[in-house]
Amino acid sequence: MRVRILGTAAGGGVPQWNCGCAGCAGARRHPGWRRTHASIAVSGSSAGPWYVVNATPDLTDQIEACPDLQPEPGGRRTPLAGVILTDAELDHTLGLFRLREASAVRVLSTDAVWRGLSNGLRLAEVLAPYTDLSWQDLRADESVPLDGGLRVRAVPVSAKRPRYAADEPAGEWSVALRIDGERGSLVYAPCMADWSAELDKELADADCAILDGTFWDDQEPSAAGLSRPTATRMGHLPISGPAGTAERFARLPARHRLYTHLNNTNPLIDPDAPQHALLAAQGIAVAAEGMTLDL
Ligand code: MLT
Ligand code: MN
Ligand code: ZN
């Protein structure tokens, strides 16, 4: 299986258009600090077809930055076979509207996420005149086979709904993905409200783990003046501190241990921040955009 890292930022990106925090201001001065919204592409081989995990507002720019995802010269075509969603949050779904030029768009998500997109964003209704949109149920109890020999399964991580779907019933609103290829396996978890037993089981034998690195510490949201006081209250376990994931992450046997979905308030936005060395000492890195992993 081949994995391409397309983006690594939490909602808003880095820089966020209306933010002048240290990370966003730094990203305006140094292009190397910039991060697009978190997403990966996966394929059973280096030749595709490819599945994009989450459709961010940056999706078509991410395709243009990644030759693997571009059409061969000639007519209209795409090596993209579908979009797999971990949740229905806007930073992971607005890009679906940007795919309207495709002849068909195939979405894999949990039932709750599809309901949110249908009722809250009117996705199916809006895209119907443009493209052939289809949905496949992503379940926790069975793997869905993908083109190219991959299999994907949902690992429920949180019941947190997007704000636009506040009136929708409870369900599997946010999941991690376990993706298995012929030789390697990946767990992708950009949103972790807690380190559940189910998730731990999937992580125990994964070759690559890409986890929620939204916040460095639990107090970061209040220090930055965000609406909710702590990382944990926002449904994101922080990296450091007593509730932090780093120590447990360091003990996983995974060959590749990467954080993604960095908020612009995260000190890791600065490539020279000492926090990078702290993670490196534990065998953990921050995912870099453009990175390729062969599993
Ligand atoms: C999240 O990751 O918690 C969501 O994307 C939050 C948001 O953008 O509202
Ligand atoms: Mn997010
Ligand atoms: Zn900022």
Side-chain angles (χ1 to χ4, degrees):
M1 157 168 43
R2 176 162 282 191
V3 181
R4 299 293 314 261
I5 307 287
L6 303 182
T8 56
V14 188
Q16 177 174 315
W17 67 278
N18 63 345
C19 189
C21 74
C24 290
R28 291 191 181 94
R29 287 194 311 275
H30 311 288
W33 291 31
R34 288 175 175 260
R35 291 179 183 270
T36 62
H37 288 95
S39 173
I40 59 171
V42 294
S43 169
S45 73
S46 57
W50 291 87
Y51 289 84
V52 169
V53 176
N54 293 330
T56 83
D58 302 311
L59 177 56
T60 60
D61 304 302
Q62 291 170 333
I63 290 170
E64 290 310 315
C66 183
D68 289 343
L69 304 182
Q70 295 164 10
E72 297 284 337
R76 300 254 163 107
R77 66 186 90 180
T78 174
L80 278 190
V83 179
I84 310 171
L85 300 175
T86 58
D87 54 72
E89 295 288 350
L90 294 175
D91 57 339
H92 291 162
T93 56
L94 284 178
L96 290 167
F97 293 98
R98 295 192 70 182
L99 294 178
R100 72 177 187 279
E101 294 89 359
S103 56
V105 176
R106 185 174 159 206
V107 175
L108 286 94
S109 77
T110 65
D111 177 59
V113 166
W114 183 248
R115 223 177 329 113
L117 296 177
S118 306
N119 299 339
L121 300 188
R122 294 176 57 225
L123 178 78
E125 219 177 306
V126 170
L127 285 186
Y130 299 90
T131 186
D132 176 14
L133 178 71
S134 61
W135 170 69
Q136 196 175 355
D137 194 6
L138 180 64
R139 303 173 62 97
D141 54 0
E142 62 183 327
S143 291
V144 177
L146 303 175
D147 296 346
L150 299 176
R151 296 187 309 282
V152 62
R153 198 150 37 82
V155 187
V157 289
S158 160
K160 190 184 110 177
R161 272 157 281 207
R163 284 185 249 176
Y164 70 76
D167 296 334
E168 292 287 332
E172 284 164 357
W173 283 97
S174 181
V175 299
L177 301 178
R178 165 78 189 222
I179 304 177
D180 284 276
E182 265 166 37
R183 284 189 294 274
S185 56
L186 162 75
V187 171
Y188 185 68
C191 175
M192 283 169 67
D194 80 300
W195 191 303
S196 67
E198 290 94 322
L199 183 62
D200 196 50
K201 181 168 164 285
E202 301 302 338
L203 288 168
D205 66 348
D207 299 297
C208 174
I210 306 178
L211 302 189
D212 182 348
T214 309
F215 297 110
W216 178 261
D217 74 61
D218 208 26
Q219 303 308 316
E220 199 178 309
S222 59
L226 303 189
S227 56
R228 292 201 189 83
T230 61
T232 354
R233 291 272 295 275
M234 288 181 75
H236 294 285
L237 290 179
I239 294 174
S240 71
T245 53
E247 268 178 42
R248 238 175 141 172
F249 199 2
R251 290 200 297 271
L252 293 182
R255 205 151 38 94
H256 304 279
R257 294 189 284 261
L258 301 167
Y259 277 120
T260 191
H261 196 269
L262 270 66
N263 197 54
N264 43 54
T265 53
N266 192 319
L268 291 166
I269 295 300
D270 177 351
D272 294 324
Q275 285 86 350
H276 286 281
L278 292 176
L279 291 182
Q282 296 178 287
I284 306 170
V286 175
E289 300 184 11
M291 206 172 175
T292 303
L293 302 162
D294 284 312
L295 306 175

